Amino acid sequence: MKVLVIGSGGRCHAIVEALSRSQQAEKIYCAPGNAGIAALAECVAIKDTDVEALLSFAKSEGIGLTVVGPEASLAVGVVDRFREEGLKIFGPTQAATEIESSKDFAKRLMKKYDVPTADYATFTDFEQAMDYVRRGTLPTVLKYDGLAAGKGVVIAESMEEAEATLRDMLLDTKYGEGRVVIEEFLTGEEFSLMCFVAGNNVVAMPVAQDHKRAYDNDEGPNTGGMGAYTELPFVTEEDKSYAMTNIMQRVADAMVEEGIPFTGVLYGGLMKTPQGIKVIEFNARFGDPETEVVLPRLRSDAVDLFMAVAEGRKPYAEWSEGATLGIVLASKGYPGSYDKGYVIRGTESVDAKIYHMGTAQKNGELVTAGGRVMIVVAEAATLKEAQQKACAEVAKIECENLFHRSDIGAKAFKY
Ligand code: AMP
Ligand code: GLY
């Protein structure tokens, strides 16, 4: 079967690699792909949001299965269009993607179906929002409801900060017109539970943890993710089973009940609070960089898995024992401004998986071409070994303009 993967980053590289291990994937295309993906798939120069071009490519090439990586493609309705044309595609419809794109929708659904999450209220009026904040406690969590490209969450420590933020979000229309969801501040360890969902069928992937801050000890600005690992010793089997029953399965059933069944990856951003596991957010897609540490552990057939979900059947997934740990190499300056085009050497001697995030080929050499450049993922029997191996392998990569965190996975050893 010919398979098309939509997207270009490290997450797509991991998806392409998982598919390439399947006997059934006769040929893999990736739109638009990147310099690393090009080793496993034929990259085609179509933008991941150009639905009509993707559709006509899939038709003319006789693509049997399409897998969607980024939320941007989902948000423009690529799944709806492919299905209308009778093509098999892995991912949620535009309507089901609302679980990620609208915080108010996600919160209302959770309230209605009794899914554990932070208490909240939604406002469009600045004075009413301020009133609510004054009556509550600090810190308070202010989430802009709309397409704020991940910049819409502020944890306000003081009344002044809350007021300034609410002014920005509701009066200055700096983020566009919109609503604000104000949430109770929760504390605890965060983790990601991704599930394959096809209607009422829900199958868990190994639990992972992202590292969002740029520097060691969770210092510095928020990023797209500087590393991740599986398994998490502080998430017990009991925790997982609680989260599967009371969160993931319940939400999948709720979506069916609401007439917007979910198909694809439902990503639970969860927190283990002193009052139990609660939802911080949902995403309607594979997490990045969680996917890069989860999919290498897939031992069953990826084409069968994605196809089952695309057809609304219960998928089968088998995972390796042990642990994985991935360290992101990013351009100096990221997540702020950074320069591109620096030569990267030494990747051929790395004895671990490398997924490219932002690289390019220039004059026969591999060069940096993005904020996050690549992720090195080691697999081992224990997390400690995976951490040691990932650190040792990252050290083999030479590039004068890259930096990385050296404490990925450290939280696991506190427990
Ligand atoms: P979100 O975009 O909703 O995932 O929020 C971004 C980040 O803000 C999360 O990963 C958490 O670290 C933090 N956060 C969001 N909501 C809460 C909350 N209710 N309590 C504490 N931290 C939160
Ligand atoms: N790792 C966070 C995300 O994919 O949104």
Side-chain angles (χ1 to χ4, degrees):
M1 183 191 301
K2 291 182 180 176
V3 184
L4 169 65
V5 177
I6 302 175
S8 63
R11 166 177 57 194
C12 280
H13 195 171
I15 294 169
V16 166
E17 199 241 358
L19 287 164
S20 74
R21 286 185 265 131
S22 166
Q23 297 294 323
Q24 297 181 73
E26 160 205 340
K27 169 129 197 179
I28 305 173
Y29 296 92
C30 190
N34 67 31
I37 292 172
L40 299 170
E42 184 176 327
C43 295
V44 283
I46 304 175
K47 255 184 83 176
D48 58 14
T49 49
D50 191 345
V51 176
E52 294 310 315
L54 291 165
L55 191 59
S56 70
F57 176 81
K59 279 183 175 172
S60 65
E61 289 302 320
I63 300 291
L65 171 69
T66 299
V67 180
V68 189
E71 53 274 38
S73 314
L74 300 169
V76 293
V78 69
V79 172
D80 307 63
R81 277 296 286 134
F82 271 56
R83 286 204 191 150
E84 269 168 29
E85 300 287 328
L87 297 181
K88 298 275 164 58
I89 185 161
F90 176 96
T93 59
Q94 206 169 21
T97 304
E98 255 211 299
I99 192 129
E100 169 167 0
S101 59
S102 167
K103 295 194 186 286
D104 185 55
F105 171 85
K107 285 303 237 186
R108 273 190 287 125
L109 191 82
M110 286 190 269
K111 196 167 201 174
K112 182 169 172 188
Y113 291 90
D114 200 21
V115 174
T117 188
D119 285 338
Y120 82 104
T122 303
F123 298 93
T124 49
D125 181 75
F126 170 75
E127 287 303 334
Q128 283 173 10
M130 274 311 294
D131 248 20
Y132 182 83
V133 170
R134 282 193 203 99
R135 283 187 277 114
T137 52
L138 290 169
T140 184
V141 183
L142 310 173
K143 299 186 176 182
Y144 179 78
D145 189 27
L147 291 173
K151 292 176 183 67
V153 178
V154 172
I155 296 173
E157 304 279 348
S158 67
M159 215 39 89
E160 293 70 39
E161 193 184 354
E163 184 173 342
T165 305
L166 287 173
R167 272 187 196 286
D168 263 0
M169 291 179 173
L170 291 173
L171 295 181
D172 295 352
T173 59
K174 179 171 154 191
Y175 301 85
E177 299 278 335
R179 291 180 291 202
V180 171
V181 172
I182 303 184
E183 275 185 27
E184 162 200 18
F185 177 74
L186 301 176
T187 54
E189 206 61 80
E190 280 183 70
F191 63 96
S192 312
L193 174 56
M194 299 191 288
C195 292
F196 293 105
V197 175
N200 300 102
N201 301 305
V202 183
V203 171
M205 299 183 220
V207 173
Q209 188 174 47
D210 186 7
H211 294 60
K212 287 184 174 149
R213 300 298 196 104
Y215 313 127
D216 282 9
N217 304 314
D218 285 338
E219 285 168 17
N222 265 320
T223 69
M226 294 299 292
Y229 65 97
T230 68
E231 293 276 325
L232 282 51
F234 50 88
V235 179
T236 62
E237 282 306 316
E238 200 185 340
D239 289 335
K240 260 189 252 180
S241 128
Y242 173 87
M244 284 304 289
T245 307
N246 298 285
I247 298 174
M248 307 309 290
Q249 183 70 53
R250 199 169 288 174
V251 167
D253 294 345
M255 299 284 282
V256 171
E257 185 76 22
E258 296 289 314
I260 35 173
F262 193 94
T263 52
V265 175
L266 182 63
Y267 166 125
L270 311 182
M271 190 185 270
K272 187 170 174 172
T273 79
Q275 289 77 39
I277 294 173
K278 296 192 181 185
V279 176
I280 294 289
E281 64 160 349
F282 283 113
N283 292 323
R285 52 171 174 84
F286 276 111
D288 192 353
E290 289 93 332
T291 303
E292 292 93 308
V293 293
V294 166
L295 286 186
R297 291 184 53 194
L298 183 68
R299 289 296 175 269
S300 46
D301 188 284
V303 170
D304 278 345
L305 174 62
F306 291 135
M307 192 55 122
V309 175
E311 292 179 339
R313 294 181 282 114
K314 190 177 176 75
Y316 172 74
E318 201 180 301
W319 307 96
S320 69
E321 297 291 325
T324 48
L325 189 138
I327 301 174
V328 171
L329 292 148
S331 294
K332 286 179 185 167
Y334 173 79
S337 63
Y338 53 84
D339 294 324
K340 299 179 189 177
Y342 290 83
V343 175
I344 306 164
R345 293 208 173 87
T347 54
E348 63 291 339
S349 51
V350 171
D351 179 26
K353 291 202 152 95
I354 299 179
Y355 297 121
H356 292 227
M357 301 174 122
T359 62
Q361 284 288 343
K362 198 174 157 190
N363 306 327
E365 288 189 299
L366 188 67
V367 298
T368 64
R372 291 186 301 163
V373 172
M374 50 177 60
I375 180 168
V376 174
V377 179
E379 194 168 357
T382 67
L383 189 60
K384 193 82 219 165
E385 289 168 78
Q387 190 189 43
Q388 283 162 353
K389 189 165 180 217
C391 287
E393 298 305 320
V394 159
K396 294 179 183 170
I397 296 176
E398 294 164 40
C399 177
E400 58 179 285
N401 201 46
L402 292 179
F403 79 98
H404 62 84
R405 278 181 64 160
S406 38
D407 68 340
I408 303 300
K411 278 185 194 152
F413 303 112
K414 289 196 317 197
Y415 294 86

